[in-house]
Amino acid sequence: MTFRIVVLAKQVPDPETPPSQFKIDESTNSVFPPNGVPPVVNGFDLNAVEAALQLRDAGADVEITVLSAGSEFVMDAMKKPLAMGADRLVLIEDSSLGNIDSSGTVKILAAAIEKDGPYDLILGGRQASDWDQAHVTLGLAEVMGLPLVSLVQKLELNSDSVALQRVIPDGYQVIEAPIPVVLTVTNELGEPRYPNLRGIMQASRKKPEIFTLADLGFSSGDLAPKLELKKLYVPESNRQVELIEGEDEPDSGKQLALRLREEKLI
Amino acid sequence: MTSILLVAERDGQGEISQSTLQAVAAAKSLSDSQVTVAIEGDAVKSGASLAVEKIVTLSPTDSGDAGIYDKATYDITSLISLINPDLVLFNKSDFGSVVGARLAFRSDYAFAADCIEISSTVTGLSVTRPVYGGSALAEFEIASTPAIVTLRAGAYETGTDTGSPIIEAFNSDGSVVGQGATTTDTVAEARDGVRLEDANFVVSGGRGLGGPEPFSLLNELADILGGAVGASRAACDAGWIDHSYQVGLTGKSVNPDVYIAVGISGASQHMSGCSSSRAIVAINKDGDSNIFKEARFGVVGDWEKVLPSFLATVRDLKA
Ligand SMILES: Cc1cc2nc3c(=O)[nH]c(=O)nc-3n(C[C@H](O)[C@H](O)[C@H](O)COP(=O)(O)OP(=O)(O)OC[C@H]3O[C@@H](n4cnc5c(N)ncnc54)[C@H](O)[C@@H]3O)c2cc1C
């Protein structure tokens, strides 16, 4: 029987955007799309896609669906998981999704998963690189009443359970979880694979399946945010670096040590 | 009045952790605060003089629930219904991040993770949290109660106030709390020397080191100065050093007197883990790299030429 996996993926501004290009529009409390730097799929979500693909590589018969809620999707970015080897892309696209908070996102994703499911495994990245809250996938498990294991670095399928390793500060825990289960995946799992040419060709032929809020039985009034964003700004830094310049590089190293001693720092 | 439930954590010795003491200070800074502390296991010595109104002890969790936190999520959810706080405060630790998020979404409460500031407003609470990896700060107003908040370590200084809290045991009804995941083993690396999180001196290496070997130089330096070695995520992802050495937003937070970054560009996500260091020192060959915007001292140069003489001089100074 096919094992159905859904991977949650979010489109985010590229976190590698140079700091000089990171600008905030304070009139709308939002980040200006950086010039010429296209958005990407959140990096940890690609680790989750990789986790699903590794189950397939290990011989399991899996169907991998990528699910995303958002607005202004850029297909070149969102199709990357398909190019890596995922089977389907389901998008919940609605312009009002820019104004909801994660309590709303969780409800929408849960409804979409119930409509499109049932799934055996629900995977998400450990956190999104825009709001860094690390809680949507955790919240989803609660709203759906499913078991949850976060920070997974390794997973193996058994017939009706999964064997997991969960990262902790100085090592890992070994965890056994029933199916269905919700997991967040961390980068310790390993780098997401690069799409190959065949994957890119296949992805280009696939069309995303689109759900609207109405399809899922919501109107935007149902999703009032609990947190109201009052202000978004770049913190001022007034640090001034003192550059140590010796006669040559080795001398600079020596002078640096002497300077730190002078400051009683070492 | 602001009624606060603060979920405490213990340090390695079983005492109330520094981060929890910082959270107490954060709670006390809110207007007319009444603080109840919840702690797993027996009340501790340091609790008896904690500057709070009440301490509630919860029965301890068994090892099968480690990292899953079904029981804590259940117990604290029950405790919230009992005492109806305006704010539930956790540390942004592994425990706080999971339990805070789970119980917030279980009961449809507002949740704000990794906050660095909390204040009272006329209508509720205001919180500030770093976003976009620390490139920006976001200030939110939360009107619904209770608000579930996790607090970043180091955001507040521990206070000096003392108190004499009432201590009570909370017995949860013990009904089904688990959802079926079980921890069967914990594999932790025992490491000699100072813990990275506690070190007064940290030297971290990044992608610029080019491979695993140079970390032996960093180790030597850390040994001489009684400190610890850290790394950027790029160095960990490359497999040059274990991920448990990673400093940053998704790694460890350090606050040494001196933090030396070697071959690290200073991405905001890395700086999130070390920006509270007293002095950041950068060795990087690219004078335009972001690390020099954060550092107090720096050398623009190749570490292969700068670091050996730095190490030799430090060794002489310490001899
Ligand atoms: C959501 C999210 C969370 C993240 N969490 C973390 C985290 O917790 N910790 C973390 O570190 N990163 C984290 N990152 C990654 C972060 O954004 C950066 O990609 C990473 O920190 C870069 O590591 P680096 O500085 O070692 O590498 P690079 O950015 O590649 O920098 C290497 C530096 O080495 C210098 N260099 C090269 N050769 C030499 C030489 N011979 N001598 C001297 N200098 C040299 C270069 O000039 C360059 O500045 C996260 C990213 C995201 C999106």
Side-chain angles (χ1 to χ4, degrees):
Chain A
M1 224 186 60
T2 302
F3 194 83
R4 297 194 74 212
I5 304 174
V6 62
V7 183
L8 309 177
K10 185 180 191 186
Q11 178 177 304
V12 295
D14 189 341
E16 303 285 324
T17 304
S20 58
Q21 289 239 36
F22 182 85
K23 298 237 160 59
I24 286 170
D25 180 351
E26 293 194 1
S27 66
T28 57
N29 278 337
S30 59
V31 173
F32 278 119
N35 255 338
V37 187
V40 295
V41 173
N42 177 49
F44 293 121
D45 302 346
L46 296 179
N47 292 117
V49 172
E50 175 63 31
L53 291 168
Q54 286 181 6
L55 295 178
R56 172 177 290 160
D57 294 347
D61 171 20
V62 298
E63 181 207 59
I64 304 166
T65 300
V66 173
L67 173 66
S68 187
S71 56
E72 298 175 37
F73 284 116
V74 173
M75 274 317 137
D76 277 351
M78 292 311 296
K79 281 193 169 181
K80 180 160 184 191
L82 293 178
M84 286 168 67
D87 302 294
R88 298 167 64 221
L89 177 63
V90 177
L91 301 177
I92 310 160
E93 186 159 25
D94 198 294
S95 60
S96 68
L97 291 183
N99 304 320
I100 66 168
D101 68 5
S102 44
S103 66
T105 309
V106 167
K107 288 173 193 153
I108 293 168
L109 291 172
I113 288 173
E114 256 141 37
K115 186 180 164 79
D116 195 58
Y119 285 103
D120 301 292
L121 208 54
I122 299 170
L123 305 180
R126 67 178 283 174
Q127 75 189 58
S129 59
D130 49 0
W131 294 97
D132 289 321
Q133 288 251 72
H135 66 336
V136 162
T137 311
L138 280 62
L140 186 72
E142 287 297 327
V143 167
M144 299 190 72
L146 293 173
L148 164 79
V149 181
S150 58
L151 304 182
V152 169
Q153 67 168 358
K154 195 160 183 242
L155 67 165
E156 265 168 47
L157 283 186
N158 301 325
S159 56
D160 55 359
S161 67
V162 279
L164 307 166
Q165 285 183 7
R166 174 180 191 273
V167 173
I168 52 174
D170 291 305
Y172 61 91
Q173 292 157 331
V174 181
I175 296 179
E176 185 88 18
I179 288 167
V181 63
V182 178
L183 308 176
T184 76
V185 176
T186 178
N187 55 299
E188 282 88 337
L189 180 113
E191 300 264 340
R193 66 196 59 192
Y194 285 105
N196 58 26
L197 200 58
R198 192 167 140 259
I200 295 170
M201 297 292 286
Q202 281 176 344
S204 71
R205 284 193 293 271
K206 282 185 185 154
K207 285 219 160 47
E209 299 160 51
I210 309 277
F211 290 170
T212 63
L213 283 191
D215 292 339
L216 299 174
F218 290 101
S219 63
S220 44
D222 302 336
L223 302 164
K226 292 183 188 298
L227 267 64
E228 195 191 338
L229 180 61
K230 287 290 193 191
K231 202 172 154 196
L232 184 68
Y233 58 102
V234 175
E236 301 224 342
S237 159
N238 44 14
R239 295 199 189 187
Q240 193 64 43
V241 66
E242 177 183 326
L243 290 180
I244 312 289
E245 289 171 80
E247 282 161 21
D248 52 16
E249 287 172 313
D251 189 46
S252 300
K254 180 179 171 192
Q255 298 303 330
L256 176 65
L258 296 174
R259 185 74 183 92
L260 295 183
R261 167 46 71 94
E262 194 185 344
E263 288 284 322
K264 300 195 172 58
L265 285 166
I266 55 173
Chain B
M1 191 188 87
T2 319
S3 153
I4 300 157
L5 174 63
L6 191 160
V7 184
E9 289 180 62
R10 295 167 189 268
D11 62 19
Q13 279 70 50
E15 286 297 322
I16 292 177
S17 75
Q18 281 300 313
S19 310
T20 293
L21 296 176
Q22 293 163 5
V24 170
K28 304 291 285 183
S29 75
L30 298 176
S31 67
D32 192 14
S33 60
Q34 294 282 316
V35 186
T36 300
V37 167
I39 188 162
E40 259 183 29
D42 295 333
V44 289
K45 256 205 272 98
S46 55
S49 58
L50 206 60
V52 300
E53 278 64 38
K54 196 189 246 187
I55 295 182
V56 175
T57 60
L58 309 173
S59 59
T61 303
D62 68 60
S63 59
D65 195 32
I68 297 163
Y69 306 121
D70 279 339
K71 179 178 180 295
T73 306
Y74 184 85
D75 283 356
I76 298 161
T77 300
S78 315
L79 197 53
I80 292 170
S81 333
L82 192 72
I83 64 179
N84 276 315
D86 303 305
L87 167 68
V88 183
L89 204 52
F90 288 90
N91 292 123
K92 192 234 168 190
S93 55
D94 185 53
F95 171 87
S97 302
V98 175
V99 178
R102 287 188 65 188
L103 64 83
F105 283 91
R106 182 172 295 186
S107 305
D108 205 17
Y109 299 146
F111 179 68
D114 201 14
C115 297
I116 55 169
E117 203 180 317
I118 315 176
S119 56
S120 309
T121 64
V122 187
T123 49
L125 284 169
S126 164
V127 297
T128 300
R129 50 185 308 271
V131 295
Y132 290 89
S135 298
L137 294 177
E139 193 183 307
F140 294 95
E141 190 139 318
I142 311 177
S144 68
T145 56
I148 316 297
V149 170
T150 72
L151 195 67
R152 179 175 287 199
Y156 283 79
E157 305 253 342
T158 56
T160 49
D161 295 358
T162 55
S164 45
I166 309 168
I167 300 180
E168 274 175 12
F170 174 74
N171 294 311
S172 108
D173 62 12
S175 58
V176 183
V177 296
Q179 279 168 320
T182 313
T183 300
T184 54
D185 197 9
T186 296
V187 181
E189 186 201 349
R191 209 179 290 168
D192 302 335
V194 199
R195 285 173 73 226
L196 185 51
E197 300 92 316
D198 303 332
N200 286 324
F201 171 83
V202 173
V203 55
S204 287
R207 190 176 350 240
L209 289 188
E213 300 82 13
F215 276 98
S216 62
L217 269 184
L218 271 49
N219 272 320
E220 228 179 292
L221 185 61
D223 279 348
I224 298 172
L225 292 169
V229 168
S232 73
R233 177 172 152 192
C236 298
D237 279 353
W240 301 341
I241 186 166
D242 189 74
H243 273 103
S244 55
Y245 291 83
Q246 182 180 317
V247 170
L249 184 65
T250 51
K252 290 186 168 142
S253 289
V254 299
N255 56 349
D257 290 335
V258 188
Y259 184 83
I260 304 191
V262 188
I264 291 180
S265 63
S268 59
Q269 293 91 352
H270 182 79
M271 301 320 292
S272 301
C274 62
S275 57
S276 58
S277 309
R278 231 176 97 206
I280 293 173
V281 179
I283 300 175
N284 193 305
K285 70 174 184 191
D286 174 9
D288 290 331
S289 89
N290 195 58
I291 190 76
F292 291 112
K293 298 204 174 65
E294 309 271 350
R296 202 164 123 206
F297 299 100
V299 172
V300 179
D302 186 338
W303 67 264
E304 289 193 58
K305 305 212 176 73
V306 178
L307 199 60
S309 61
F310 178 76
L311 179 64
T313 313
V314 170
R315 193 184 287 117
D316 290 347
L317 288 170
K318 286 280 160 184

